[in-house]
Amino acid sequence: MFLRQINGRWYYTINEKDNLGKYHKHEHFGGFTRTEAAKAYRAAMQEIDRTGKFFEPSDMLFPDFLSEWMEKEVEINRKPNTADTYGSIIRNHLAPTFARIRLKDLTTPMLQDYITGLRNQYSCGTLKAIMAVLRASLRWCVANRRYITINPMDNVRLPRYEPKIAAVKIFSPAQIRKIFERFPRGNQLHMPCMLSYCTGMRLGECLALAWKHVDLASRTIEVVGNKYDKSGTCIQSPKTESSIRVITFGKKLADELQAQKLWQEKNSFQYGKYYDRTDFICTEACGKPLTSNNLRYFNLWCRQTFGGLSFHSFRHTHATMLIENGLALDYVSKRLGHSSIYTTANVYDTITDKREKEALSVMDSIL
């Protein structure tokens, strides 16, 4: 194995057979370290042993490859919201940074330095998302397209972040009262707010809910869909398999659903032929189904009124109330549609003021 360094770049030399069966020595770029070049040399020799030919890594620019990956893999095999998220990461982060980098020049140190350099700019969650796109795309590049033989993301590590206790943001009882005073029955935002508050359903699940999925007699809701409308409205399968579930509800939500049904029937009569007749529960006065854009006002109102919080805080509030009042964690997990009880424990099983006071009371009685 012959390796040499030229202007900070390492190269390896191999004997390649031409079409006439004669061998010729050719030098190839192997990376920016001796270890990378040695690894590239061994990979090239394995390829020659396996196929009898030398594999030449692609000269394609990395952003061009990412566009191909999006078109031929992501947009076909991933959900629309996932495709939109990946596309956003590519447009805002990867394409500008690697605009002039070719696939064959991507190395593990290059990608590691890039990820480490983002540590002080973005949260741990954002960095994990960027790394997920890099890993998935380059895995497809190696296994499906064979533009390169080694995934340079295999040994890239997430830089260390200081552990932080994530505070779950919930509505207080006073804030809940204020919300439903501002958005009472007859307001188009009342029903999605009430659904999430009483069931813990996600926004997309509330907007996708149809009357055929509600049994007022047995007081059950069947969650089978999730509305996604950022790149064209569609009803897709829920977030995970466990998100397909049946939720029971009490008299409070039953009364609200009955009132919503009467409100829609009244509006249908008033609008006549101009009423948009659908089976959705969350609609505007004209019958048009609500979208996530309709709920942007609610999130803005929360920021202006409470200094934060959002529609998703209903889900946190519902889960926290159930746990504080003694319901088992596995029940709460199934009700929320989590794929694992550990997800529920990590997110919601935190110490709240009520549980802290109860713990102090117990300790005072036994110590």
Side-chain angles (χ1 to χ4, degrees), residues 51 59 103 169 191 219 279 313 330:
T51 65
D59 278 332
L103 279 174
K169 298 179 180 180
M191 199 64 241
R219 293 182 181 174
D279 194 43
S313 300
D330 61 335

Side-chain angles (χ1 to χ4, degrees), residues 9 37 116 130 166 180 197 209 256 288 290 346:
R9 296 160 68 94
T116 303
I130 294 173
F180 289 113
Y197 175 59
L209 190 64
E256 295 290 347
K288 182 181 178 182
L290 292 180
N346 289 336

Side-chain angles (χ1 to χ4, degrees), residues 118-119 121-128 161:
L118 298 178
R119 178 176 177 270
Q121 300 179 46
Y122 300 106
S123 67
C124 182
T126 299
L127 221 55
K128 285 181 178 179
Y161 277 80

Side-chain angles (χ1 to χ4, degrees), residues 16-292:
E16 300 177 36
K17 186 191 296 184
D18 61 21
N19 294 332
L20 298 177
K22 294 183 178 181
Y23 285 91
H24 305 273
K25 288 187 177 182
H26 288 280
E27 195 169 56
H28 299 275
F29 171 68
F32 293 96
T33 65
R34 182 182 180 88
T35 301
E36 282 186 340
K39 187 176 182 180
Y41 169 81
R42 289 192 295 271
M45 295 306 298
Q46 289 175 358
E47 186 70 16
I48 291 174
D49 291 340
R50 191 176 67 84
T51 65
K53 297 180 180 180
F54 172 70
F55 175 83
E56 184 68 40
S58 175
D59 278 332
M60 180 186 295
L61 290 172
F62 189 37
D64 292 339
F65 161 72
L66 290 172
S67 296
E68 180 182 351
W69 176 63
M70 286 292 298
E71 177 187 352
K72 297 180 179 179
E73 168 65 15
V74 177
E75 293 175 1
I76 295 173
N77 297 315
R78 305 296 175 93
K79 291 182 178 181
N81 55 336
T82 302
D84 284 350
T85 300
Y86 284 7
S88 177
I89 289 173
I90 290 170
R91 287 191 305 274
N92 297 325
H93 299 283
L94 303 182
T97 302
F98 298 96
R100 298 182 180 277
I101 303 297
R102 300 186 182 279
L103 279 174
K104 68 179 185 180
D105 294 332
L106 284 173
T107 64
T108 298
M110 178 193 298
L111 294 171
Q112 182 67 74
D113 290 346
Y114 167 67
I115 292 297
T116 303
L118 298 178
R119 178 176 177 270
N120 295 326
Q121 300 179 46
Y122 300 106
S123 67
C124 182
T126 299
L127 221 55
K128 285 181 178 179
I130 294 173
M131 290 181 67
V133 172
L134 284 168
R135 281 206 175 94
S137 62
L138 290 171
R139 189 183 306 120
W140 188 78
C141 182
V142 172
N144 192 287
R145 300 288 103 167
R146 290 193 57 76
Y147 291 146
I148 53 178
T149 57
I150 299 173
N151 186 344
M153 277 297 294
D154 280 347
N155 294 308
V156 174
R157 297 178 57 187
L158 180 73
R160 182 177 179 274
Y161 277 80
E162 291 297 329
K164 295 180 180 179
I165 299 176
V168 176
K169 298 179 180 180
I170 65 173
F171 292 119
S172 68
Q175 289 172 330
I176 288 294
R177 287 193 298 272
K178 193 163 188 175
I179 287 171
F180 289 113
E181 287 173 1
R182 173 61 184 82
F183 304 100
R185 287 182 185 178
N187 185 292
Q188 65 182 21
L189 301 187
H190 177 79
M191 199 64 241
C193 292
M194 187 59 70
L195 274 171
S196 187
Y197 175 59
C198 293
T199 67
M201 292 166 63
R202 303 176 179 94
L203 173 59
E205 294 170 342
C206 292
L207 299 181
L209 190 64
W211 286 109
K212 64 182 177 182
H213 301 137
V214 177
D215 188 334
L216 289 171
S218 61
R219 293 182 181 174
T220 58
I221 289 174
E222 189 179 6
V223 180
V224 296
N226 181 65
K227 179 178 279 190
Y228 182 72
D229 51 33
K230 290 186 179 179
S231 58
T233 301
C234 67
I235 303 297
Q236 59 187 24
S237 57
K239 187 175 182 181
T240 62
E241 185 177 346
S242 56
S243 295
I244 301 175
R245 61 199 188 278
V246 175
I247 302 175
T248 56
F249 58 87
K251 185 178 183 302
K252 181 180 180 64
L253 183 56
D255 292 342
E256 295 290 347
L257 287 167
Q258 289 283 13
Q260 179 74 356
K261 186 180 283 288
L262 291 174
W263 181 71
Q264 288 181 334
E265 290 173 354
K266 176 184 175 182
N267 290 335
S268 175
F269 176 77
Q270 291 179 340
Y271 279 82
K273 65 179 182 179
Y274 300 105
Y275 188 79
D276 190 351
R277 289 173 175 78
T278 66
D279 194 43
F280 290 106
I281 291 176
C282 299
T283 63
E284 299 179 21
C286 64
K288 182 181 178 182
L290 292 180
T291 69
S292 59

